[in-house]
Amino acid sequence: MDHRPITNWPVDRAEAEARLAETAKAVSLLNFIHDPELVAAVDTAYGVGAEYVYASAVVTRFPDIEEVERTVARARAPFPYIPGLLFFREGPAITEALERLKSTPDVIIVHGHGVAHPRRCGMASQIGVLFDVPSIGCCRRILAGRHRPVGDSKGSAEPIMLGGQEVGWAYRSKDHVKPIFISPGHKCDLATARDIVVRNLRGFRLPEPLRLAHLFANKHKRNLENRRTDDVGSPHTS
């Protein structure tokens, strides 16, 4: 996948917030998702000491959720953990994983937030703008805004309100399980974001492509971290 060139990554909070403000201007909530055939998802895992970020991108055929391809990447975390600025910490690994995809998905589901974000530009929005692809945020925790109590049964939903506007959904994907939080990232509207996520659920809390990306990122982390541990413990290691 191609994306806009990145000259450098921010090194401090002020620079990251300035970059975020510029990206927010490019976010579109007009829907560009029509009869999607390929759905991608990206997620990350952290290594020991959170020094490295491991990312996985998986592409599935919609609506059967048949895996088409997957990629993985590892990158050093160049930025501290700051809520709302997570893309600048995980972005290098995520970007590399998406770059390695041979196919171009019709939409990317990101384990993060879209416009349900204090600056209306979460990780899903940033990735969508960067790759110029429709994107959706889907996360286990809310970052910004409020919603009324969600019913206990699967399919119950309440809008997330932020500054008097609807920015996403709190959605119960399984009976008596904590809701997930869905918001459009880029080139997607509220109704479509919810519809795509719901139609990709397969009995788990998270949509299946995102669950697969989560599993692959953690598997990649374990493989490389175990290899490093084995190398250190090997008698042949200098």
Side-chain angles (χ1 to χ4, degrees):
M1 287 183 67
D2 296 326
H3 61 79
R4 296 182 180 184
I6 302 174
T7 55
N8 52 62
W9 291 90
V11 296
D12 58 34
R13 182 167 192 156
E15 188 178 350
E17 289 182 341
R19 187 82 62 88
L20 184 64
E22 283 300 310
T23 303
K25 297 176 184 178
V27 172
S28 171
L29 295 184
L30 296 176
N31 184 51
F32 283 74
I33 306 172
H34 304 286
D35 299 321
E37 295 182 3
L38 298 179
V39 175
V42 289
D43 198 6
T44 59
Y46 283 88
V48 176
E51 180 182 2
Y52 285 94
V53 178
Y54 299 83
S56 174
V58 57
V59 178
T60 57
R61 198 171 305 282
F62 185 77
D64 299 330
I65 315 187
E66 174 189 352
E67 184 182 331
V68 174
E69 66 171 316
R70 72 174 87 162
T71 62
V72 290
R74 184 188 76 156
R76 192 181 297 275
F79 194 81
Y81 171 74
I82 301 176
L85 299 176
L86 194 58
F87 178 66
F88 300 109
R89 182 170 176 80
E90 300 185 357
I94 289 174
T95 301
E96 186 175 344
L98 288 171
E99 283 175 343
R100 293 177 176 177
L101 291 177
K102 296 179 181 178
S103 55
T104 300
D106 299 298
V107 58
I108 302 174
I109 302 176
V110 179
H111 193 190
H113 297 281
V115 296
H117 180 276
R119 297 291 186 90
R120 305 294 204 281
C121 189
M123 186 182 295
S125 298
Q126 292 166 279
I127 291 172
V129 170
L130 181 64
F131 285 88
D132 193 28
V133 172
S135 60
I136 298 168
C138 181
C139 203
R140 293 185 180 93
R141 297 179 182 177
I142 194 168
L143 178 64
R146 295 185 177 185
H147 61 86
R148 291 179 295 185
V150 181
D152 288 335
S153 61
K154 177 183 176 181
S156 299
E158 291 291 341
I160 300 172
M161 305 299 297
L162 180 62
Q165 296 180 323
E166 290 188 18
V167 293
W169 299 94
Y171 183 86
R172 188 85 64 185
S173 55
K174 293 186 67 177
D175 291 343
H176 309 294
V177 171
K178 291 181 180 180
I180 55 177
F181 302 94
I182 306 164
S183 59
H186 181 54
K187 290 188 170 183
C188 177
D189 58 27
L190 282 161
T192 305
R194 172 176 163 177
D195 179 65
I196 292 294
V197 168
V198 170
R199 292 171 68 189
N200 276 276
L201 292 171
R202 290 298 185 275
F204 295 90
R205 185 181 177 193
L206 292 174
E208 187 66 6
L210 193 56
R211 190 183 77 88
L212 293 174
H214 175 76
L215 292 174
F216 297 154
N218 278 279
K219 181 178 180 179
H220 183 47
K221 177 196 73 172
R222 288 193 300 271
N223 287 343
L224 289 189
E225 299 260 318
N226 289 342
R227 188 183 305 167
R228 290 172 61 193
T229 302
D230 291 343
D231 288 344
V232 170
S234 169
H236 302 292
T237 302
S238 58

